[in-house]
């Protein structure tokens, strides 16, 4: 009898333990709970902050923490074991770094697209109308580094335009390139349309035709070693939902 009682207690504790783990990741009503850590491309900063707040409101008991940086840096962090639940990249190439290393849980999904513009100070003092103007003497330009999605896209657009362009600085993410314009350290930077729109109080986005040759697809995926697998899957699903897509569209992202 004592042995049966002890076994019953052990089984009850085991069931209770499993239930506690499930509650942390998914509430009794099926909604996600617990912390969800999202590694997101720098160009998603403003949109994902808003989407994160809306996700928390739709999933009481959840908290979204963003780590934003260049997609290449984030991919390296993930593959080196940084604790993260979700990865949202600004280009498939950086996502491939994660999937090929076996760090993804499932197949990434494209959830948005983005296009380049030339960011110039308000009033456009240098009269920039296209990429060719960036090669004029005395025009200082910032680009993203080539390994960063905005840098790779900019290089594709510049090559398509047949322009010989020598930037004065190569930044590690799009926010760094944009900051150079806002601080008056350069006359122009090639950045995403969404980033120029978010900084419209300080900069103007100049459209140029070659940007159509370098549109970036944005993939998202839950991660294999996610501390909160249910929360990761729920966040990925939410990003693809109508409310989140409306936030992205308002920011200037294109539908996938």
């Amino acid at each position: 009898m004592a042995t049966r009682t002890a076994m019953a207690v052990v089984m009850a504790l085991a069931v209770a333990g499993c239930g506690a783990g499930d509650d942390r990741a998914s509430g009794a009503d099926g909604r996600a709970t617990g912390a969800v850590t999202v590694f997101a491309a720098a160009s998603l900063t403003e949109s994902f902050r808003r989407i994160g707040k809306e996700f928390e409101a739709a999933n009481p008991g959840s908290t979204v923490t963003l780590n934003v940086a260049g997609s290449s840096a984030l991919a390296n962090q993930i593959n080196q074991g940084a604790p993260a639940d979700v990865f949202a990249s600004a280009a498939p190439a950086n996502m491939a770094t994660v999937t090929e290393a076996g760090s993804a849980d499932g197949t990434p999904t494209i959830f948005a697209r983005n296009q380049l513009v030339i960011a110039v100070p308000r009033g456009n003092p240098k009269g920039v109308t296209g990429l060719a103007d960036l090669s004029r003497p005395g025009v200082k330009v910032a680009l993203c580094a080539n390994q960063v999605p905005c840098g790779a896209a900019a290089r594709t657009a510049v090559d398509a335009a047949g322009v010989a362009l020598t930037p004065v600085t190569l930044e590690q993410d799009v926010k760094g390139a944009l900051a150079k314009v806002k601080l008056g350290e350069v006359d122009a930077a090639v950045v995403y349309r969404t980033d120029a729109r978010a900084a419209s109080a300080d900069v103007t986005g100049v459209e140029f035709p070659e940007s159509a040759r370098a549109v970036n697809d944005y993939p998202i995926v839950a991660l294999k070693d996610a501390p909160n697998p249910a929360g990761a899957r729920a966040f990925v699903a939410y990003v693809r939902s109508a409310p989140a897509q409306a936030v992205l569209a308002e920011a200037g992202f294109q539908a996938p």
Side-chain angles (χ1 to χ4, degrees), residues 104-129:
D105 178 18
T107 303
T109 301
I110 303 300
F111 67 95
R113 308 180 83 200
N114 212 348
Q115 202 159 334
L116 299 172
V117 298
I118 302 169
V120 297
R122 293 288 297 176
N124 195 2
K126 293 288 185 176
V128 172
T129 61

Side-chain angles (χ1 to χ4, degrees), residues 44 48 51-52 54-55 86-88 105-112 218-222 232-249 254-256:
L44 291 165
F48 266 35
I51 288 171
E54 293 185 358
F55 177 85
V86 175
F87 178 39
D105 178 18
T107 303
T109 301
I110 303 300
F111 67 95
Y218 281 57
I220 189 169
V221 74
R233 291 190 292 271
F235 187 85
V236 170
Y238 189 81
V239 167
R240 299 173 59 193
S241 72
Q245 288 292 306
V247 172
L248 292 165
Q254 302 168 22

